Structure formats: C-alpha cells, structure tokens
Amino acid sequence: MIKKEKLLSTFGSLLQQAIKAQKTKLEKKALPPALAQDKTLRKLLDDARGTAFGKHYGFGQLLESSHPAKLFQENLPVFDYNKLHDEWLYRSIAGEKNVTWPGKVSHFALTSGTSEASSKRVPVTGRMIDAMQKTSRRQILTMADMDLPPDLYNRKILMLNGSSKLNEVDGHFEGDLSGILASKLPVWFHKFYKPGKKISDIKQWDEKLDEMVLAAKDWDIGFIAGVPAWAQILLTKIIDHYQLDNIHEIWPNFSIFVHGGVAFAPYKKSFDKLIGKKVIYLETYLASEGFFSYQVALDREDMRLVTDNDVFYEFIPFNEENFEADGQLVDNPQTLLINEVEEGKDYALLISTSAGLWRYMIGDTIRFTSVKDANIVITGRTKHFLSLCGEHLSVDNMNHGIIKVAEHFNTEIKEFTVVGMPHEGLFAHKWYVGVTEEMDEEEIKRVLDEALKELNDDYATEREHALHEVMVHTVPLQLFYDFLGKLGKSGASHKFPRVLNKAFQEKWEAFLDEVHAI
C-alpha cells in the first residue's frame, strides 16, 4: 500500500509539473483579446461560408474586408432563439445538413433557461464539444498556481451531470448539455470520472442521487463539479446516510468545488457547514451554448473570458436605449466589440459559435472588471430584472440584498424569487424567500428594502413614488426543489428563476396553494 501511494504521489508530481509547463506555454502564445477575437471571427466565417446561412449573408464577401467584424455587425441581424429557430434552426432539427454550420447537427441540448416553459433545442456540434473540452483543460491549467498537493491529481472527479443516456429523436440525440458532454468524455478521462457511466445514465434525478450516496464510500473524490443547490443536496444526503460530521470523513481528499449556473454567495455558508477542511471554490460560465469563461485566480471573484476558442462575442449596453422595461430587445440595438466596452457597465451578451449560432443573444448580462484581461462577472439575465416603474433592480442587486437579510438573521437563504405586479394603481414587488427555520416576514421586508435602497439609487427613488409596496412570503426551502421536480426540472443544470414571468408565477402560486404554503 505504501509503495502504491508513493507511485501515485510520484505520478501526481509529474502531472503537476506538466500542467505548469503547459500553462506557461499557453500564456506565451496568448493574443490580446481584440486580436484573438478578430482571428476567431475570421475562422468561424471561413468555416461556415459554404453553409446556407453563410451564403445568405455573404460570409465570403465579409472575409474580403480588412474589418470583417464591422461588416458582420452591419449585415446580420441580432437573433434570439425564436428568431433563429423559425428562420434557420428548424431545418437543422429536421436533419438537413449545412444549414448554419457545416455537416449535420447530431446533438441538441434541451434547455428552457429559467423563464420560458417550452424546451429549446440548442445545437451542439462536434466542433463545439471539442471547444468546450479544450476550455475545460485550460481551467485545469489554472490549478498550476494553486498550492495543491501533487497526489490530488490522482483523485476522482465527481461530475453532477444530467443523464448521459440521451434520447434519440428523428435521427439526432437530445438531452441536457451536461449529459451530452458526459457521453462524449475522452477515453483517458474515464479513469477519473465519477459517478461512472452506469449511474450517469440514470434519468431520474432522485434515483441517481440515491445511487451516488450508496457508491460514495468507494470513491476517492478530489474534485466536484456541478450546480451548487444539487451538489449541496448530495453532500447532505451522504453525510446523513453514513452519519458523518462532515463530507471529509468519507472523502478526505476533496479539495476543489467547481460551480456555475447561479451566484454562489447564498450557498457558501451552507457548504462551509458540510466540510471539515478547506475547499477551493472555483466559478465557471458554462451554458448550453458554450463554455465562455472560468475563474483564473483565487484572490479574485471574476472570470476570464475565453476569447480564442470558437466563440465570438459582442456586447449590447444593458440600458433603456436598447431594452424595453420587460427586457425585450429593441430593433437595431447598439452592439459593441470587445475593444469598445467599458469597465463597470452591464452588457447583454451576443455570441457567434462553431455550433452555428450567429449574433445570438444568450440572455445573460455581464460586467467587465478588467477590459485589458477580459475579466468579467455575470450580473443577471436580460429578462430577470425588475423595472416596472424605473427601479432597474438587477439580479446582482437582489443577490446582495438577500445576503444582507441572511447576515441579519444569522442564517442562510439559498433560494428566492420575486415578481413585479400592479398594486393599488401603482406597483409592488412580491418576494418568496426559501427558509429552513421560522423568520419574521416583516423584518425580512424591512432589512431587504433598506439594503436595496442602499444598493440602487433608482430603487430608492421609486420606493418614494411608484413602487408602492414590497411584500414578503417565506416558503419552506424544499418546496422550491419540489416544484422544479414537478416541472421535470430536477437536478443537473436546472435552477429556480430569480424573477418570475406571469406563466411561471401562476404555476408557482398554484403549487403553493396546493401544498398550503401560502
């Protein structure tokens, strides 16, 4: 046993040295963001010039220009999912080749985001899978600068993905992006991957969790990757099942949690209670449409935008000139290139990718913390903010306000949602706050309202005028997850919307009435 551990430690040291060398090599080759983006766009246009989309929009002619990016912006409209689907993607879904990207699209990621009821089928090409895997490998390289023991590189990686047993529909495969990526893992990675194919194939999330709990005792986990809420549920189940004080009693080498999908701050206190030693938390920006950024330094909470890997970015200033009050994009919005953005301002993200998405508005908003290094933070969703009367309340504001409430009550609040509504001739915000213990709703309202006034001057102004009321309802935390389960959205990449649209609100409130929660 001692000889085996020594061999593993030696192998880990060699792997660690190789990672450091590869990171240095990559940094030397890196181009400035603007140059990397120009090269990326030219490559995408050239590869897709022979597609129906490329011929329609004259990609060949664009490439003859010394500044193809500007002509690209002038000649192509901005697409949301519905527009791109109705004009182009429906042909790819039906099996037609060479529509928006060369060849036939064999995989589609099913996603409804967090606000729309009907499933979207987002194309996932082989080229895009390669790009996502490449970005994942780059993220591993960032660990070269972390003070990690060499033998950590021999430990297993637990990925909380959707089912890797995909549905075959009309000649293509469909499933969660995480399930698609799990089904396409390189052979060398299987040695490290948990929960393994048998459990990964399970479609029912509750059944998958139970199987992972039973198998947990046989795994030597060093890394976990997944959405915070579901990772926390799994760790809690393991601790309860084996009657442990913390997860390190069964996984002593667990050192890194890679998370994404939602802001991690509301979950951190809960995670800290589940662990017995220090764990490094790393944020990623991996969406169904691509792997866009990842955290590169432990002393910073922002992420580095990947500018040279098959994704071309544009940025729409997130303001009243470009967006209606309900988050709807205006016709002909202003769009900026990466060398035209400013730090500290919010932008809606447009992407063009090797999955055949072109000038596609993903629905997220970001803010640059460093233009020079292309460092960003995610600030919310274009339709997940409240501006009924000019209060301009962003998801970022909401997260910080809820954190203030949690600190005031010395507790944790991991889930919440809010809806705006007419009220007595003016307007109101109605909050639903997930709780695990009894909390005074009026006190939550007071603390939350005061915090939001401090965070947002527009909110403070409208609270004196048109935003007449703020209402708070506490709801048992588990009901948030039960409701997602009822919608068939348990596990993997699904999360509860921070702002409810009318259709989702009606379903949510009907569910709460049914279980007598309000």
Side-chain angles (χ1 to χ4, degrees), residues 109-372:
L110 296 178
T111 174
S112 58
T114 50
S115 61
E116 298 184 38
S118 58
S119 289
K120 303 174 184 177
R121 288 170 172 80
V122 177
V124 183
T125 61
R127 172 86 164 265
M128 179 49 66
I129 290 173
D130 290 344
M132 290 180 181
Q133 291 176 345
K134 182 178 179 181
T135 299
S136 296
R137 293 193 296 272
R138 288 187 181 182
Q139 185 173 31
I140 292 174
L141 299 184
T142 65
M143 298 177 190
D145 295 330
M146 301 175 191
D147 186 20
L148 301 174
D151 59 358
L152 179 63
Y153 295 93
N154 301 311
R155 309 305 173 185
K156 307 303 181 186
I157 301 174
L158 175 59
M159 296 170 58
L160 302 180
N161 53 262
S163 175
S164 52
K165 189 172 184 178
L166 307 174
N167 300 319
E168 187 170 2
V169 181
D170 297 332
H172 65 258
F173 293 95
E174 299 180 350
D176 285 347
L177 175 72
S178 59
I180 293 173
L181 294 179
S183 74
K184 295 291 184 178
L185 291 173
V187 174
W188 65 266
F189 191 75
H190 286 210
K191 171 181 176 354
F192 301 95
Y193 170 62
K194 294 297 177 185
K197 186 178 187 307
K198 183 178 179 180
I199 296 178
S200 180
D201 279 352
I202 296 173
K203 292 186 178 294
Q204 296 300 319
W205 188 249
D206 289 341
E207 180 184 351
K208 180 179 289 188
L209 282 175
D210 291 341
E211 291 297 322
M212 284 192 280
V213 169
L214 294 177
K217 65 183 186 302
D218 302 319
W219 298 340
D220 183 8
I221 300 297
F223 309 81
I224 298 177
V227 174
W230 300 105
Q232 181 185 316
I233 289 171
L234 174 64
L235 298 189
T236 301
K237 281 180 172 287
I238 292 172
I239 290 170
D240 290 345
H241 180 81
Y242 294 101
Q243 298 183 345
L244 309 173
D245 288 329
N246 61 72
I247 197 63
H248 280 104
E249 291 184 3
I250 194 169
W251 292 338
N253 296 302
F254 170 41
S255 301
I256 295 179
F257 176 49
V258 181
H259 60 86
V262 295
F264 184 61
Y267 299 90
K268 187 177 184 302
K269 186 176 290 188
S270 296
F271 265 85
D272 289 344
K273 291 180 179 179
L274 299 174
I275 61 179
K277 60 178 73 171
K278 181 182 178 181
V279 168
I280 294 171
Y281 301 122
L282 295 176
E283 186 173 8
T284 63
Y285 185 7
L286 172 59
S288 296
E289 296 84 357
F291 196 163
F292 305 130
S293 63
Y294 54 86
Q295 189 174 340
V296 296
L298 297 181
D299 59 347
R300 299 178 63 104
E301 294 184 353
D302 52 11
M303 297 178 285
R304 179 72 46 80
L305 202 63
V306 180
T307 56
D308 61 350
N309 190 23
D310 270 3
V311 182
F312 178 73
Y313 306 98
E314 297 172 72
F315 310 91
I316 304 176
F318 193 50
N319 55 34
E320 293 175 348
E321 284 73 37
N322 294 309
F323 290 88
E324 304 288 353
D326 62 354
Q328 186 66 37
L329 187 66
V330 302
D331 293 333
N332 303 313
Q334 179 189 22
T335 57
L336 305 176
L337 302 177
I338 199 165
N339 61 316
E340 298 171 328
V341 298
E342 299 178 47
E343 293 175 10
K345 293 186 177 181
D346 285 5
Y347 298 96
L349 196 60
L350 289 184
I351 58 170
S352 298
T353 79
S354 58
L357 301 176
W358 299 100
R359 304 203 78 202
Y360 179 90
M361 191 171 73
I362 191 172
D364 293 329
T365 59
I366 60 99
R367 182 183 305 144
F368 280 86
T369 55
S370 170
V371 171
K372 176 180 175 293

Side-chain angles (χ1 to χ4, degrees), residues 36-47:
Q37 281 285 273
D38 181 73
K39 185 176 180 180
T40 296
L41 179 61
R42 290 174 185 271
K43 174 67 172 168
L44 291 172
L45 292 174
D46 188 44
D47 290 341

Side-chain angles (χ1 to χ4, degrees), residues 395-407:
V395 172
D396 192 48
N397 294 155
M398 298 172 198
N399 284 329
H400 281 90
I402 287 293
I403 289 171
K404 289 287 188 182
V405 172
E407 291 173 348

